[in-house]
PDB file of all heavy atoms in Angstrom:
ATOM      1  N   ILE A 309     -18.174 -11.597  18.370  1.00  0.00           N
ATOM      2  CA  ILE A 309     -18.557 -10.478  19.232  1.00  0.00           C
ATOM      3  C   ILE A 309     -19.042  -9.229  18.487  1.00  0.00           C
ATOM      4  O   ILE A 309     -20.082  -8.681  18.831  1.00  0.00           O
ATOM      5  CB  ILE A 309     -17.421 -10.151  20.219  1.00  0.00           C
ATOM      6  CG1 ILE A 309     -17.334 -11.294  21.245  1.00  0.00           C
ATOM      7  CG2 ILE A 309     -17.659  -8.835  20.938  1.00  0.00           C
ATOM      8  CD1 ILE A 309     -16.101 -11.292  22.063  1.00  0.00           C
ATOM      9  N   PRO A 310     -18.320  -8.756  17.461  1.00  0.00           N
ATOM     10  CA  PRO A 310     -18.818  -7.548  16.791  1.00  0.00           C
ATOM     11  C   PRO A 310     -20.240  -7.712  16.264  1.00  0.00           C
ATOM     12  O   PRO A 310     -21.057  -6.796  16.374  1.00  0.00           O
ATOM     13  CB  PRO A 310     -17.829  -7.362  15.635  1.00  0.00           C
ATOM     14  CG  PRO A 310     -16.582  -8.015  16.103  1.00  0.00           C
ATOM     15  CD  PRO A 310     -17.016  -9.192  16.914  1.00  0.00           C
ATOM     16  N   ALA A 311     -20.558  -8.900  15.734  1.00  0.00           N
ATOM     17  CA  ALA A 311     -21.907  -9.118  15.197  1.00  0.00           C
ATOM     18  C   ALA A 311     -22.936  -9.116  16.320  1.00  0.00           C
ATOM     19  O   ALA A 311     -24.013  -8.523  16.201  1.00  0.00           O
ATOM     20  CB  ALA A 311     -21.961 -10.435  14.437  1.00  0.00           C
ATOM     21  N   LEU A 312     -22.594  -9.765  17.411  1.00  0.00           N
ATOM     22  CA  LEU A 312     -23.495  -9.805  18.559  1.00  0.00           C
ATOM     23  C   LEU A 312     -23.754  -8.389  19.083  1.00  0.00           C
ATOM     24  O   LEU A 312     -24.882  -8.023  19.400  1.00  0.00           O
ATOM     25  CB  LEU A 312     -22.864 -10.667  19.653  1.00  0.00           C
ATOM     26  CG  LEU A 312     -23.786 -11.415  20.592  1.00  0.00           C
ATOM     27  CD1 LEU A 312     -24.810 -12.236  19.826  1.00  0.00           C
ATOM     28  CD2 LEU A 312     -22.984 -12.311  21.521  1.00  0.00           C
ATOM     29  N   ALA A 313     -22.700  -7.600  19.122  1.00  0.00           N
ATOM     30  CA  ALA A 313     -22.826  -6.226  19.611  1.00  0.00           C
ATOM     31  C   ALA A 313     -23.755  -5.425  18.700  1.00  0.00           C
ATOM     32  O   ALA A 313     -24.629  -4.698  19.173  1.00  0.00           O
ATOM     33  CB  ALA A 313     -21.451  -5.570  19.692  1.00  0.00           C
ATOM     34  N   TYR A 314     -23.591  -5.590  17.391  1.00  0.00           N
ATOM     35  CA  TYR A 314     -24.462  -4.885  16.447  1.00  0.00           C
ATOM     36  C   TYR A 314     -25.905  -5.290  16.638  1.00  0.00           C
ATOM     37  O   TYR A 314     -26.821  -4.488  16.523  1.00  0.00           O
ATOM     38  CB  TYR A 314     -24.037  -5.183  15.002  1.00  0.00           C
ATOM     39  CG  TYR A 314     -23.243  -4.068  14.401  1.00  0.00           C
ATOM     40  CD1 TYR A 314     -21.908  -3.909  14.738  1.00  0.00           C
ATOM     41  CD2 TYR A 314     -23.824  -3.166  13.530  1.00  0.00           C
ATOM     42  CE1 TYR A 314     -21.164  -2.892  14.206  1.00  0.00           C
ATOM     43  CE2 TYR A 314     -23.079  -2.131  12.995  1.00  0.00           C
ATOM     44  CZ  TYR A 314     -21.751  -1.998  13.338  1.00  0.00           C
ATOM     45  OH  TYR A 314     -21.024  -0.980  12.824  1.00  0.00           O
ATOM     46  N   HIS A 315     -26.077  -6.563  16.932  1.00  0.00           N
ATOM     47  CA  HIS A 315     -27.408  -7.117  17.135  1.00  0.00           C
ATOM     48  C   HIS A 315     -28.127  -6.394  18.281  1.00  0.00           C
ATOM     49  O   HIS A 315     -29.323  -6.170  18.231  1.00  0.00           O
ATOM     50  CB  HIS A 315     -27.244  -8.601  17.427  1.00  0.00           C
ATOM     51  CG  HIS A 315     -28.519  -9.361  17.479  1.00  0.00           C
ATOM     52  ND1 HIS A 315     -29.310  -9.538  16.363  1.00  0.00           N
ATOM     53  CD2 HIS A 315     -29.147  -9.981  18.492  1.00  0.00           C
ATOM     54  CE1 HIS A 315     -30.364 -10.234  16.707  1.00  0.00           C
ATOM     55  NE2 HIS A 315     -30.291 -10.516  17.996  1.00  0.00           N
ATOM     56  N   PHE A 316     -27.376  -6.040  19.306  1.00  0.00           N
ATOM     57  CA  PHE A 316     -27.977  -5.415  20.487  1.00  0.00           C
ATOM     58  C   PHE A 316     -27.926  -3.896  20.457  1.00  0.00           C
ATOM     59  O   PHE A 316     -28.587  -3.245  21.252  1.00  0.00           O
ATOM     60  CB  PHE A 316     -27.262  -5.897  21.752  1.00  0.00           C
ATOM     61  CG  PHE A 316     -27.448  -7.361  22.028  1.00  0.00           C
ATOM     62  CD1 PHE A 316     -26.370  -8.199  22.201  1.00  0.00           C
ATOM     63  CD2 PHE A 316     -28.728  -7.894  22.101  1.00  0.00           C
ATOM     64  CE1 PHE A 316     -26.546  -9.550  22.451  1.00  0.00           C
ATOM     65  CE2 PHE A 316     -28.917  -9.250  22.345  1.00  0.00           C
ATOM     66  CZ  PHE A 316     -27.820 -10.074  22.525  1.00  0.00           C
ATOM     67  N   ALA A 317     -27.127  -3.339  19.561  1.00  0.00           N
ATOM     68  CA  ALA A 317     -26.905  -1.898  19.586  1.00  0.00           C
ATOM     69  C   ALA A 317     -28.152  -1.141  19.137  1.00  0.00           C
ATOM     70  O   ALA A 317     -28.848  -1.551  18.207  1.00  0.00           O
ATOM     71  CB  ALA A 317     -25.728  -1.546  18.700  1.00  0.00           C
ATOM     72  N   ALA A 318     -28.416  -0.030  19.809  1.00  0.00           N
ATOM     73  CA  ALA A 318     -29.534   0.810  19.402  1.00  0.00           C
ATOM     74  C   ALA A 318     -29.037   1.879  18.440  1.00  0.00           C
ATOM     75  O   ALA A 318     -29.757   2.341  17.572  1.00  0.00           O
ATOM     76  CB  ALA A 318     -30.155   1.456  20.627  1.00  0.00           C
ATOM     77  N   ASN A 319     -27.782   2.232  18.596  1.00  0.00           N
ATOM     78  CA  ASN A 319     -27.262   3.371  17.878  1.00  0.00           C
ATOM     79  C   ASN A 319     -25.806   3.131  17.457  1.00  0.00           C
ATOM     80  O   ASN A 319     -24.903   3.777  17.961  1.00  0.00           O
ATOM     81  CB  ASN A 319     -27.356   4.585  18.823  1.00  0.00           C
ATOM     82  CG  ASN A 319     -27.295   5.879  18.079  1.00  0.00           C
ATOM     83  OD1 ASN A 319     -27.337   5.901  16.840  1.00  0.00           O
ATOM     84  ND2 ASN A 319     -27.160   6.964  18.817  1.00  0.00           N
ATOM     85  N   PRO A 320     -25.591   2.173  16.545  1.00  0.00           N
ATOM     86  CA  PRO A 320     -24.205   1.841  16.184  1.00  0.00           C
ATOM     87  C   PRO A 320     -23.635   2.803  15.141  1.00  0.00           C
ATOM     88  O   PRO A 320     -24.384   3.427  14.394  1.00  0.00           O
ATOM     89  CB  PRO A 320     -24.339   0.442  15.577  1.00  0.00           C
ATOM     90  CG  PRO A 320     -25.723   0.406  15.026  1.00  0.00           C
ATOM     91  CD  PRO A 320     -26.568   1.354  15.830  1.00  0.00           C
ATOM     92  N   THR A 321     -22.348   2.908  15.119  1.00  0.00           N
ATOM     93  CA  THR A 321     -21.709   3.721  14.082  1.00  0.00           C
ATOM     94  C   THR A 321     -20.330   3.158  13.786  1.00  0.00           C
ATOM     95  O   THR A 321     -19.866   2.238  14.440  1.00  0.00           O
ATOM     96  CB  THR A 321     -21.604   5.194  14.516  1.00  0.00           C
ATOM     97  OG1 THR A 321     -21.190   5.968  13.388  1.00  0.00           O
ATOM     98  CG2 THR A 321     -20.595   5.372  15.635  1.00  0.00           C
ATOM     99  N   ASP A 322     -19.690   3.707  12.748  1.00  0.00           N
ATOM    100  CA  ASP A 322     -18.346   3.268  12.385  1.00  0.00           C
ATOM    101  C   ASP A 322     -17.444   4.471  12.291  1.00  0.00           C
ATOM    102  O   ASP A 322     -17.891   5.580  12.047  1.00  0.00           O
ATOM    103  CB  ASP A 322     -18.372   2.560  11.025  1.00  0.00           C
ATOM    104  CG  ASP A 322     -19.230   1.310  11.071  1.00  0.00           C
ATOM    105  OD1 ASP A 322     -18.755   0.313  11.618  1.00  0.00           O
ATOM    106  OD2 ASP A 322     -20.371   1.360  10.574  1.00  0.00           O
ATOM    107  N   VAL A 323     -16.162   4.225  12.480  1.00  0.00           N
ATOM    108  CA  VAL A 323     -15.218   5.314  12.349  1.00  0.00           C
ATOM    109  C   VAL A 323     -13.944   4.762  11.714  1.00  0.00           C
ATOM    110  O   VAL A 323     -13.545   3.630  11.979  1.00  0.00           O
ATOM    111  CB  VAL A 323     -14.960   5.983  13.723  1.00  0.00           C
ATOM    112  CG1 VAL A 323     -14.411   4.997  14.731  1.00  0.00           C
ATOM    113  CG2 VAL A 323     -14.041   7.162  13.601  1.00  0.00           C
ATOM    114  N   GLU A 324     -13.343   5.538  10.827  1.00  0.00           N
ATOM    115  CA  GLU A 324     -12.142   5.065  10.141  1.00  0.00           C
ATOM    116  C   GLU A 324     -10.946   5.061  11.069  1.00  0.00           C
ATOM    117  O   GLU A 324     -10.734   6.009  11.826  1.00  0.00           O
ATOM    118  CB  GLU A 324     -11.842   5.981   8.950  1.00  0.00           C
ATOM    119  CG  GLU A 324     -12.674   5.661   7.748  1.00  0.00           C
ATOM    120  CD  GLU A 324     -11.990   6.049   6.452  1.00  0.00           C
ATOM    121  OE1 GLU A 324     -11.075   6.900   6.491  1.00  0.00           O
ATOM    122  OE2 GLU A 324     -12.366   5.496   5.409  1.00  0.00           O
ATOM    123  N   VAL A 325     -10.190   3.964  11.050  1.00  0.00           N
ATOM    124  CA  VAL A 325      -8.977   3.894  11.864  1.00  0.00           C
ATOM    125  C   VAL A 325      -7.811   3.414  11.006  1.00  0.00           C
ATOM    126  O   VAL A 325      -8.000   2.800   9.962  1.00  0.00           O
ATOM    127  CB  VAL A 325      -9.148   2.927  13.065  1.00  0.00           C
ATOM    128  CG1 VAL A 325     -10.155   3.475  14.060  1.00  0.00           C
ATOM    129  CG2 VAL A 325      -9.561   1.545  12.592  1.00  0.00           C
TER     130      VAL A 325
END
Side-chain angles (χ1 to χ4, degrees):
I309 290 166
L312 210 52
Y314 259 77
H315 188 66
F316 294 125
N319 199 8
T321 190
D322 298 284
V323 59
E324 279 207 339
V325 293

